[in-house]
Amino acid sequence: MKIWQKNIEVNKGIETFTVGKDRELDLQMAAFDVLGSLAHVEMLASINLLTADELVEVQTAFKVIYKEIEEGKFTIDDSVEDVHSQVEWLLTQRIGEAGKKIHSGRSRNDQVLVDLKLYFRACIQEMVENTSTLFNQLISLSNTHKDKLLPGYTHLQIAMPSSFGLWFGAYAESLADDMELMLAAYKVCNKNPLGSAAGYGSSFPLNRTMTTELLGFEKLNYNVVYAQMGRGKTERILGQAMSSVAATLAKMAMDVCLFINQNFGFITFPDELTTGSSIMPHKKNPDVFELIRSRCNKIQALPNEIAMMTTNLPSGYHRDLQLLKENLFPAITSLNECLEMTTFMLQNITVKDHILDDKKYDYLFSVDVVNELALNGTPFREAYKIVGETIENGTFAPNKTVKHTHEGSIGNLCNDEISAMMNEVLAQFKFEKVNKAITNLVK
């Protein structure tokens, strides 16, 4: 069965090619297809396209299907094109004529749109929660190891003193900024396209504000043409937010791969969290972080992949858009796995102390010595020259007492302020409103 099926039998090769991976990927949207339909049928009853008895019958059947999906008992038959057809077919098989009325006032186009937006909202909530957990882990590590110094690098050359407090805290603040982008993506996802039908509205007197409220959306996609144009744009914006988180993780993973290297030796992990070599018995490889680095670099390519698939498409629906799921859905799963695994690994990290006691790090303190001279009245440029000459003639003597006190420095990490920034962003998602609306639909 297909929603659009008429009396012509489609060529099997064409059908296989056009369906593609939809059956497999659509399973992830099954629950959201039911949620969108529950809101739609309640609206249909309000404009007398379903009777009160039919509404109860349809709602009861939908809630059974929803429970079956949650319990893993839902499948998409090989003879069925997609999740939308499967749900409607099941409904009609179980309750008969009332099931045939539910597609009034909508197209598969806006049905897919609302399913995707509901799915993306739920995915964003999971990504935000995983990011928040990692953020808290980083802040905790930053506070715990705030007094342990670490070489800072520019051009991968030793530069100035840093600390593990700064290093962990830097990635925490990076995630806080990443959540600003994720919030923007969430706001785009949290607008209701339902009722735009095939992209040109409907002659039925639909109540689109009602379905917006029932599904917990913040606003409508008002213009029906733009609602359809949102397909692809929504995915690209979400991909950009995901790419930002992925960039943070990839950079941290690269740092870890350097810092665990024996030539650095700044951190270690338990042997059981590293891998070995088939011929070198001494190896303890950071495979987890190498894979996080590569996975996240793939995710950084996602916005460009989506842009290339949608560039120069005119307004209206095009089948090209179906393929976006093949790029985006696995990337969402991968990013969540990377967030979870990074948190797990950092729960088991060991940080080395007294790293800067090694003489090769003496020059890290050259700037501090210049600054000390400047504080005692020597013009900065003259102080720079004096210290430079001691380095050249081998008489430089570092003062390893670090006196960095300004905001965001070694002695003043401002982790409370960074946490407040993160909490301010997280509070704006208002997941509780959405979750309450969804609970009301299925209760």
Coordinates of all heavy atoms in Angstrom, one line a residue, residues 39 118 121 186 189-192 209-219 429-438 441:
A39 N -2.5 14.7 16.8 CA -2.9 16.2 16.8 C -3.8 16.5 15.6 O -4.8 17.2 15.7 CB -1.6 17.0 16.8
L118 N 9.3 16.9 14.8 CA 9.1 16.3 16.1 C 10.3 15.4 16.4 O 10.8 15.4 17.6 CB 7.8 15.5 16.1 CG 6.5 16.2 15.9 CD1 5.4 15.3 15.7 CD2 6.3 17.1 17.2
R121 N 13.3 17.6 17.3 CA 13.2 18.1 18.6 C 13.7 17.1 19.7 O 14.4 17.5 20.6 CB 11.8 18.5 18.9 CG 11.3 19.8 18.3 CD 10.0 20.3 18.9 NE 9.1 19.3 19.3 CZ 7.8 19.5 19.6 NH1 7.3 20.7 19.6 NH2 7.0 18.5 20.0
Y186 N 17.1 24.5 17.4 CA 15.9 24.1 18.1 C 14.7 25.0 17.8 O 13.6 24.6 17.6 CB 16.1 24.0 19.6 CG 15.0 23.3 20.4 CD1 14.8 22.0 20.3 CD2 14.2 24.1 21.2 CE1 13.7 21.4 21.0 CE2 13.2 23.5 21.9 CZ 12.9 22.1 21.8 OH 11.9 21.6 22.5
C189 N 13.4 24.2 14.5 CA 12.7 22.9 14.5 C 11.4 23.0 15.2 O 10.5 22.2 15.0 CB 13.6 21.8 15.2 SG 15.0 21.3 14.2
N190 N 11.3 24.0 16.1 CA 10.1 24.1 17.0 C 9.0 24.9 16.4 O 8.3 25.7 17.2 CB 10.5 24.6 18.4 CG 9.6 24.1 19.5 OD1 8.8 23.2 19.3 ND2 9.6 24.8 20.6
K191 N 8.9 24.9 15.1 CA 7.8 25.6 14.4 C 7.0 24.6 13.6 O 7.5 23.7 12.9 CB 8.3 26.7 13.5 CG 9.0 27.8 14.3 CD 9.6 28.9 13.3 CE 10.3 30.0 14.1 NZ 10.9 31.0 13.1
N192 N 5.7 24.7 13.7 CA 4.8 23.7 13.1 C 4.5 23.9 11.6 O 3.9 24.9 11.2 CB 3.4 23.8 13.9 CG 2.5 22.7 13.4 OD1 2.8 21.7 12.9 ND2 1.2 23.0 13.7
T209 N -3.4 26.6 14.3 CA -3.0 27.0 15.7 C -3.2 25.9 16.7 O -2.4 25.7 17.6 CB -3.7 28.3 16.1 OG1 -3.3 29.4 15.2 CG2 -3.4 28.7 17.5
M210 N -4.3 25.2 16.5 CA -4.7 24.1 17.4 C -3.6 23.0 17.4 O -3.2 22.5 18.4 CB -6.1 23.6 17.0 CG -6.5 22.4 17.9 SD -8.2 21.8 17.4 CE -8.4 20.5 18.6
T211 N -3.2 22.6 16.2 CA -2.2 21.5 16.1 C -0.9 22.0 16.7 O -0.1 21.2 17.2 CB -2.0 21.0 14.7 OG1 -1.7 22.1 13.8 CG2 -3.3 20.3 14.2
T212 N -0.6 23.3 16.5 CA 0.6 23.9 17.0 C 0.7 23.7 18.6 O 1.7 23.3 19.1 CB 0.8 25.4 16.7 OG1 0.8 25.5 15.2 CG2 2.0 26.0 17.3
E213 N -0.4 24.0 19.2 CA -0.5 23.9 20.7 C -0.5 22.5 21.1 O 0.1 22.1 22.1 CB -1.8 24.6 21.1 CG -1.7 26.2 20.9 CD -3.0 26.8 21.2 OE1 -4.1 26.1 21.4 OE2 -3.1 28.1 21.2
L214 N -1.2 21.6 20.4 CA -1.3 20.2 20.8 C 0.1 19.5 20.7 O 0.3 18.7 21.6 CB -2.3 19.4 19.9 CG -3.8 19.7 20.1 CD1 -4.6 19.1 19.0 CD2 -4.3 19.2 21.4
L215 N 0.9 19.9 19.8 CA 2.2 19.3 19.6 C 3.3 20.0 20.4 O 4.5 19.6 20.3 CB 2.5 19.2 18.1 CG 1.7 18.2 17.3 CD1 1.9 18.4 15.8 CD2 2.1 16.7 17.7
G216 N 2.9 21.1 21.1 CA 3.9 21.8 21.9 C 4.9 22.6 21.1 O 5.9 23.0 21.6
F217 N 4.5 22.9 19.9 CA 5.4 23.8 19.1 C 5.3 25.2 19.6 O 4.3 25.7 20.1 CB 5.0 23.8 17.6 CG 5.4 22.6 16.8 CD1 4.5 21.7 16.3 CD2 6.7 22.4 16.6 CE1 4.9 20.6 15.6 CE2 7.1 21.3 15.9 CZ 6.2 20.4 15.4
E218 N 6.4 26.0 19.5 CA 6.4 27.4 20.0 C 5.6 28.3 19.0 O 5.0 29.2 19.5 CB 7.9 27.8 20.1 CG 8.0 29.1 20.9 CD 7.6 29.0 22.4 OE1 7.7 27.9 22.9 OE2 7.2 30.0 23.0
K219 N 5.8 28.0 17.7 CA 5.1 28.9 16.7 C 4.7 28.0 15.5 O 5.1 26.8 15.4 CB 6.1 30.0 16.3 CG 6.5 31.0 17.3 CD 7.4 32.1 16.6 CE 7.7 33.2 17.6 NZ 8.7 32.8 18.6
F429 N 15.7 26.2 26.2 CA 15.1 25.2 25.4 C 13.7 24.8 25.8 O 12.8 24.5 25.0 CB 16.0 23.9 25.5 CG 17.2 24.0 24.7 CD1 18.4 24.4 25.3 CD2 17.3 23.7 23.3 CE1 19.6 24.5 24.5 CE2 18.4 23.7 22.6 CZ 19.6 24.2 23.2
K430 N 13.4 24.9 27.1 CA 12.0 24.7 27.6 C 11.5 23.3 27.2 O 10.3 23.2 26.7 CB 11.1 25.8 27.2 CG 11.5 27.2 27.6 CD 10.5 28.3 27.1 CE 11.0 29.7 27.5 NZ 10.2 30.7 27.0
F431 N 12.3 22.3 27.3 CA 11.9 21.0 27.0 C 10.6 20.5 27.7 O 9.9 19.7 27.2 CB 13.0 20.0 27.2 CG 14.2 20.2 26.3 CD1 15.5 20.3 26.9 CD2 14.1 20.2 25.0 CE1 16.6 20.5 26.1 CE2 15.2 20.4 24.1 CZ 16.5 20.5 24.7
E432 N 10.5 21.0 28.9 CA 9.4 20.6 29.8 C 8.0 20.9 29.1 O 7.1 20.1 29.2 CB 9.4 21.2 31.2 CG 9.3 22.7 31.2 CD 10.6 23.4 30.9 OE1 11.7 22.7 30.7 OE2 10.6 24.7 30.9
K433 N 7.9 22.0 28.4 CA 6.7 22.4 27.7 C 6.4 21.3 26.6 O 5.2 20.9 26.5 CB 6.8 23.8 27.1 CG 5.6 24.2 26.2 CD 5.8 25.5 25.5 CE 4.6 25.8 24.6 NZ 4.8 27.0 23.9
V434 N 7.4 21.0 25.8 CA 7.2 20.0 24.7 C 6.8 18.7 25.3 O 5.9 18.0 24.9 CB 8.5 19.9 23.9 CG1 8.4 18.7 23.0 CG2 8.7 21.2 23.1
N435 N 7.6 18.2 26.3 CA 7.3 16.9 26.9 C 5.9 16.8 27.5 O 5.2 15.8 27.4 CB 8.4 16.6 28.0 CG 9.8 16.5 27.4 OD1 9.9 16.3 26.2 ND2 10.8 16.8 28.2
K436 N 5.4 17.9 28.1 CA 4.1 17.9 28.7 C 3.0 17.8 27.6 O 2.1 17.0 27.7 CB 3.9 19.2 29.5 CG 2.5 19.3 30.1 CD 2.3 20.6 30.9 CE 1.0 20.7 31.6 NZ 0.8 21.9 32.4
A437 N 3.2 18.5 26.5 CA 2.3 18.4 25.3 C 2.2 17.0 24.8 O 1.1 16.5 24.5 CB 2.7 19.4 24.3
I438 N 3.4 16.4 24.6 CA 3.4 15.0 24.1 C 2.8 14.0 25.0 O 2.0 13.1 24.6 CB 4.9 14.6 23.8 CG1 5.5 15.5 22.7 CG2 4.9 13.1 23.3 CD1 4.7 15.7 21.5
L441 N -0.9 14.2 24.7 CA -1.4 13.6 23.5 C -1.6 12.1 23.6 O -2.6 11.5 23.0 CB -0.5 13.8 22.3 CG -0.7 15.1 21.5 CD1 0.3 15.2 20.4 CD2 -2.1 15.1 20.8

